Amino acid sequence: MTANQYLIDFYNQYDEDSRLALKHGSVEFLTTMRYIEKYRKPGDRVLEIGAGTGRYSHALARQGCAVDAVELVGHNIDVFRSNTQAGENITITQGNAMDLSAFPDNEYDITLLLGPLYHLYTKEDKLQALREAIRVTKPGGVIFAAYVISDGCLLDEGFHRGSINVAEYIEKGLLDSRTFAAKSEPKDLFELVRKEDIDDLISALPVTRLHYVAADGCALFMREAVDAMDRDAFELYLKYHFAVCEREDLAGITSHAIDIVKKSDTPCTKSQSILT
């Protein structure tokens, strides 16, 4: 089975909208939107690559942004279109994050890459997706790249919930027995990384980091407690999370992270994206 087919089969039956609607899932969404709004300006053009069912794209279109979206999975595109409201300045195209040849250079003020890097398993593929995202972004524009972080997932799904057998993962070579660094394959669906892997990627790119954010922090690890909070308690929890989500000493204790970078003022062209 191809990497894309594993992905398509998974998302054909997965309800992403419901995940982000639950209190613990909304922490990731609210955190990401908080940082997007920090850089969003009136009249901005936004490209979302790997838009899924459009939670972010629609939210930004309803705030007045002109949004173009790219999505690989046909089922997600159908849901995306069904969620579109009258008056949204929004488009959706089927495509792959590693080949944005349908989109011109230096076009977008904000580019979102909030899902594709979850499902790319080699450094070369990740760099190609990042280079394409950078290429289509205007000089000085901002790129948001999301990752699944191995330690947060291991603590939650492994040691806390027992959804995965940690000892078995070590036996199979999916976890290093000494460092507990993760190794993923397409059949595992999600590529699990650490901040040092992300640092290595962006060191090769014409960008400057603005923020590195633990998007959901401990929210998945303590999901039952978060979901049980009343409104006041949840608002207080969010205030705490926003206060600490960039602390370096907590950066690895999250299930999702967002790397927010600014493109250099020197334009990157399509040929540079392909050749570098």
Side-chain angles (χ1 to χ4, degrees):
M1 190 182 290
T2 66
N4 282 354
Q5 194 58 52
Y6 283 113
L7 193 60
I8 290 165
D9 289 349
F10 175 76
Y11 281 108
N12 276 343
Q13 51 80 39
Y14 184 68
D15 189 351
E16 175 74 358
D17 285 350
S18 292
R19 181 184 76 84
L20 292 175
L22 294 168
K23 275 198 184 83
H24 74 267
S26 73
V27 174
E28 177 192 349
F29 175 77
L30 293 169
T31 304
T32 305
M33 287 298 294
R34 179 182 174 91
Y35 280 90
I36 293 171
E37 287 162 9
K38 183 180 179 71
Y39 292 99
R40 182 179 64 83
K41 305 180 298 297
D44 272 358
R45 295 198 64 193
V46 176
L47 178 66
E48 184 175 12
I49 307 160
T53 56
R55 185 75 186 274
Y56 292 99
S57 288
H58 290 306
L60 291 167
R62 291 164 196 169
Q63 292 178 4
C65 292
V67 180
D68 293 324
V70 182
E71 170 56 30
L72 176 69
V73 180
H75 169 74
N76 285 345
I77 292 172
D78 292 339
V79 177
F80 184 108
R81 287 179 173 144
S82 72
N83 288 337
T84 303
Q85 296 179 358
E88 289 184 21
N89 186 358
I90 198 166
T91 69
I92 179 74
T93 304
Q94 189 162 28
N96 188 309
M98 293 171 60
D99 179 9
L100 300 177
S101 55
F103 297 89
D105 301 342
N106 308 311
E107 185 78 2
Y108 294 94
D109 301 281
I110 293 175
T111 300
L112 307 178
L113 195 68
L114 299 178
L117 295 167
Y118 297 175
H119 309 293
L120 297 176
Y121 301 91
T122 68
K123 182 178 179 179
E124 293 74 20
D125 285 353
K126 291 172 198 168
L127 283 172
Q128 178 61 17
L130 286 163
R131 286 180 181 127
E132 279 290 82
I134 293 165
R135 175 184 65 78
V136 300
T137 305
K138 292 178 180 178
V142 181
I143 300 102
F144 290 70
Y147 299 84
V148 182
I149 303 303
S150 62
D151 294 288
C153 294
L154 179 61
L155 286 168
D156 182 34
E157 300 290 348
F159 292 112
H160 187 202
R161 299 179 192 285
S163 304
I164 64 172
N165 185 316
V166 177
E168 186 177 295
Y169 270 48
I170 291 171
E171 268 184 43
K172 291 181 176 179
L174 297 174
L175 287 170
D176 185 279
S177 62
R178 183 178 61 85
T179 66
F180 287 86
K183 177 184 177 184
S184 307
E185 298 175 357
K187 64 180 177 62
D188 303 313
L189 289 171
F190 294 96
E191 167 77 336
L192 306 180
V193 300
R194 286 173 163 170
K195 183 174 180 289
E196 53 262 37
D197 304 313
I198 302 168
D199 292 344
D200 183 54
L201 288 173
I202 69 161
S203 69
L205 298 170
V207 296
T208 301
R209 177 175 282 157
L210 301 171
H211 309 274
Y212 181 86
V213 182
D216 43 19
C218 292
L220 269 68
F221 184 85
M222 52 183 289
R223 68 187 70 177
E224 292 84 3
V226 172
D227 289 345
M229 291 175 181
D230 63 23
R231 192 169 99 177
D232 289 344
F234 184 60
E235 289 298 322
L236 187 60
Y237 177 77
L238 281 176
K239 185 176 180 180
Y240 164 77
H241 170 71
F242 294 151
V244 303
C245 64
E246 288 191 58
R247 276 180 48 168
E248 290 185 11
D249 57 337
L250 298 176
I253 311 303
T254 187
S255 294
H256 300 85
I258 319 162
D259 202 22
I260 305 170
V261 299
K262 179 180 177 181
K263 178 175 174 176
S264 74
D265 291 329
T266 303
C268 174
T269 67
K270 192 176 299 184
S271 60
Q272 287 173 321
S273 172
I274 294 168
L275 295 174
T276 56

